[in-house]
Structures are given as structure tokens and as C-alpha cells.
Amino acid sequence: MTTGGGGFSAAGLRRLREVLARHVDSGKIPGLVALVARGEETHVEAIGTMRHDGGAPMSRDTIFRMASTSKPVTVAAAMALLDDCRLRLDDPVDPWLPELADRRVLQRPDGPLEDTVPARRPITVRDLLTSTFGLGTDFELLHAPIRAATFERTDYSVASGPAPEPDEWMRRLGELPLSYQPGQRWQYDLANEVLGVLVSRVTGRPLETFLRERVLDPLGMKDTAFHVPAGKIDRLPPLYGPDPRTGEFLVWDEAAGGRSSRPPAFQGAGGGLVSTVDDYFRMLLDHGMHGTERILSRPAVELMTTNRLTPEQQAARTAMYRNIAHLAAGQGQHGGWGFGMAVRTGRGDYAPPGQFGWDGGTGTTAYADPAGRVTGILLTQVGMSTPDSARLIHDFWTTLYQATA
């Protein structure tokens, strides 16, 4: 389906569909939904089926587990609190998150958990927003004691079962030392989960309640939530994690009766949302506006979508992702990071500097390019256990930028 005109070449859109269809025809991706927009033109492709063995076709209103593509949405809730002056960037988080007060920090990031020194300063709101609070996924520490301890206490993936309620989750996190001093190094993911708890405690309400009031409902994101209700469950595909050795489709999460079919005890701000291409497009398109009403201030949006890392943090992040580029088809090579999303600071592929957004481990990607007026969203439910989803995402962006007229 195409609306509007003047944004893409007809030949480019045909080529985009051909490339997407080729990935589905390969048998590696059961189905996908893609939305691309430039200026006033919007084009949607729904290709393949919801299950790897056939069944219902993918459609424009198919609901997807967004994984880490949730981050830009949930960070918007924290930005609303900054706009309201209920949070300040450089305030310590101790009053709301006492579990993180009086931190100890490892002498060496890869050293024993008992060998610590006091943190030089408290963890701040800014540290959580920039993913520099001192803990998180770090591909250079995968075999360090802190990685195993963090995984044991805080990782609740499809393989390890659901997370406990937020207070217990924070208690477990508070048992750990930091691997780096607050504000020292960018590390992935964990900061966003903590940020969700912070929003809930500051507002005195569940994260989803505040997020719905300030972001989802004003933007008309009616299918975005932390679970899929029974009346919509037929629109949710299974989540697959192909076997890394054989490529066999393994079901990580079924739709009916699966983890996304019921409200979670822990509303994971780092990757717990479900959504649709149209819902997510509303968020990227409006950049803080809904009609004439402003959801987030312009400075708040600019803070989110421009690089917030120091040159040293940026270099470490780029180096960390470069070591796994062969598994992720170049994802993570953006240079910069804003609040909850990547921000391109240089031209490393077909996308230009200034593009912002992020990818998800369930095979999702969503970015906006303000200068080029280009938005792209591609959603699958094939996890990153093999490179197939990452290669599809790479080819999506390569062909999308070729299609700009």
C-alpha cells in the first residue's frame, strides 16, 4: 500500500519489495511487515506468514514483540518527567532508588566481585538515560565474574523465565558492585530497565499507566503495550529463535498462552513492549507533537535524538560493537548514543549522520532521518540467534535509501 507521492522512486520501491521477498522466500524469515515514509509518502509491505509453517498471512496490523526497539518509547516517559521538573538530569537517583545508593565499584572490570572501591559519586538520572550508570551488557566482559553475577540476578530472557516484581528485581540488582564508575563507560540495556523502575517510583504508578497517559494514548498508539490482550492475540505471531547450528525454527514464545499474552510482573522498559508498524510510526513521525499538542518539548526531543556520549565513551562503544559485527551485519556501528537510542555521528553505511533509532533482538528495526525526511520500520519475529534477521535489516536500509527519489 502506498499513499502520497514524490518521496520514493517507483523502481526503488519495487526493488525494496524484491529484496524483502527474497529473504522470506529463502525460508529463513517466515514473514515481515515494513513501513517506509518520506515526506508525505508512506509505503507498507506485508510479506509472508505469521508462522514458519504457513497459516495466517502477515498484515499491516500484525502485533510484534519489539524487544529493544521499545527503548525510544519508554524513554519518552522519563523525558516527560524532565519536562515536568519532577526529574533533573544531574540529580542522584538515591531518593527513589535507594538500592543504588553508596555503590561499590570493581577495581578491575574483569576482576573478582569482592575487590571493590567506593563509587566516586552517586548515580544520576543522566547516567541512566545515557546507559553509563556502571552496569550493563558489555561484549568485552562476557567472561568476567560481574557478567555472570549480573545475568544470574537480572536477566529474564525468553530462556530464563519472567522477571520478578520491580522491588525484588531492584533488590537483586543492588547486591552487585558496578563494573565501572558512574558516567565512565557506555554499557547496553540494563540502564533502561532501571529507568523504567525510576519512572514508576517517581510517579507512584506502574510504568505502563504513566506511559499510556503521557505518550501512548495522546499519540493514538492503541496497540502498544506490555502484553497482548486476548481479543488481539490472533494478531501476534510466535517468536522464533532459529538453532544457530541447523537453522531449525525453535519457538521462543508462543502467542496464545505465551509470555506476551498476560501482563508481566516486571514491565521491562528495555524491551518489553509490543507494537505495530503504524503505532511506532506515529511516535517517530511526530517527534514530540500530536497534531497541535506537544507531547514532549522540543529540547527534550533534541536531547533524546542527538549524541550524548563523550569521545572516549563513543570510541569504546564503537570498538565493542565492532568485535561482533560479523554476527550483527554491522549493527551498532552508529558512533553515538542519545537517550535510549543510537544516533549516527558519521557515515559508515547508506544512512547519513543524524539518523536516530534502534534495533531489537526479536528482528525489529526503526529509525528516523530528519534531514532526509526518511522513516523506516521493519518488523519480524525471528530472533538474532542466527545472522539472518540482522542481514535482512541491513538489506532493508540499503535498499530503502536507494529508493529515495
Side-chain angles (χ1 to χ4, degrees):
M1 177 183 294
T2 302
T3 60
F8 300 104
S9 70
L13 289 177
R14 285 195 298 272
R15 171 68 174 155
L16 174 67
R17 179 178 174 83
E18 289 169 2
V19 168
L20 297 180
R22 188 169 68 207
H23 281 273
V24 173
D25 292 343
S26 74
K28 303 293 181 63
I29 306 291
L32 59 87
V33 180
L35 183 152
V36 298
R38 190 180 190 207
E40 299 301 314
E41 181 175 356
T42 303
H43 181 82
V44 176
E45 294 283 1
I47 304 174
T49 55
M50 291 171 61
R51 303 191 67 92
H52 81 90
D53 50 0
M58 285 286 186
S59 62
R60 184 166 182 165
D61 68 350
T62 296
I63 298 172
F64 294 85
R65 302 164 190 81
M66 299 301 287
S68 287
T69 321
S70 304
K71 288 176 171 64
V73 183
T74 55
V75 164
M79 301 309 293
L81 292 177
L82 288 175
D83 276 347
D84 292 349
C85 296
R86 299 175 70 181
L87 284 177
R88 301 175 189 87
L89 282 172
D90 295 307
D91 274 357
V93 299
D94 299 2
W96 302 286
L97 303 173
E99 298 92 341
L100 298 184
D102 303 318
R103 289 292 79 199
R104 305 288 298 182
V105 183
L106 293 175
Q107 285 266 28
R108 294 192 349 262
D110 60 349
L113 300 183
E114 301 77 22
D115 188 10
T116 63
V117 296
R120 291 193 286 265
R121 64 164 175 82
I123 295 167
T124 66
V125 175
R126 187 189 299 271
D127 296 331
L128 294 180
L129 284 165
T130 55
S131 294
T132 60
F133 85 106
L135 276 175
T137 299
D138 191 324
F139 301 118
E140 295 180 3
L141 297 178
L142 291 182
H143 303 292
I146 188 61
R147 168 58 179 163
T150 305
F151 188 88
E152 177 187 355
R153 287 167 176 78
T154 67
D155 185 90
Y156 296 94
S157 64
V158 290
S160 52
E165 49 81 30
D167 289 349
E168 172 61 15
W169 188 88
M170 284 300 306
R171 185 193 68 77
R172 297 179 187 183
L173 181 67
E175 295 175 345
L176 299 170
L178 303 180
S179 52
Y180 290 93
Q181 289 285 342
Q184 180 180 352
R185 181 180 172 92
W186 185 91
Q187 294 175 287
Y188 186 52
D189 195 43
L190 200 56
N192 292 89
E193 306 290 19
V194 179
L195 190 67
V197 179
L198 176 66
V199 169
S200 177
R201 289 187 178 178
V202 170
T203 61
R205 288 180 282 172
L207 171 61
E208 184 170 6
T209 301
F210 183 73
L211 183 66
R212 185 158 302 287
E213 175 189 306
R214 292 298 294 271
V215 180
L216 302 181
D217 286 350
L219 291 178
M221 297 173 69
K222 62 184 186 302
D223 289 323
T224 303
F226 284 103
H227 82 289
V228 180
K232 300 180 180 180
I233 200 70
D234 61 324
R235 293 162 53 193
L236 179 73
L239 172 60
Y240 293 108
D243 186 300
R245 294 160 299 177
T246 67
E248 177 190 0
F249 280 103
L250 306 176
V251 176
W252 276 352
D253 188 41
E254 268 293 357
R259 291 178 62 170
S260 295
S261 69
R262 52 190 178 272
F266 185 89
Q267 296 174 350
L273 290 177
V274 298
S275 193
T276 64
V277 288
D278 283 296
D279 267 18
Y280 208 96
F281 181 51
R282 288 184 180 92
M283 191 203 67
L284 288 178
L285 176 70
D286 291 303
H287 303 314
M289 294 291 291
H290 178 59
T292 58
E293 180 186 358
R294 182 159 285 284
I295 307 304
L296 293 177
S297 69
R298 186 176 301 279
V301 175
E302 290 171 353
L303 272 171
M304 290 175 68
T305 59
T306 53
N307 181 40
R308 307 259 60 86
L309 300 184
T310 66
E312 294 78 15
Q313 292 167 342
Q314 195 166 324
R317 178 178 180 272
T318 299
M320 184 166 62
Y321 270 96
R322 188 173 292 132
N323 289 334
I324 61 162
H326 63 293
L327 299 176
Q331 289 170 294
Q333 296 296 298
H334 312 80
W337 187 262
F339 288 166
M341 68 187 85
V343 180
R344 291 185 184 268
T345 56
R347 187 139 203 171
D349 53 24
Y350 282 59
Q355 186 204 48
F356 59 83
W358 195 225
D359 308 293
T362 53
T364 60
T365 185
Y367 287 81
D369 166 9
R373 302 179 302 124
V374 173
T375 302
I377 303 165
L378 172 67
L379 305 178
T380 79
Q381 293 289 255
V382 179
M384 301 280 189
S385 52
T386 66
D388 297 304
S389 285
R391 290 169 178 161
L392 164 64
I393 289 169
H394 178 275
D395 294 351
F396 169 69
W397 289 108
T398 298
T399 50
L400 170 55
Y401 273 101
Q402 291 179 65
T404 54

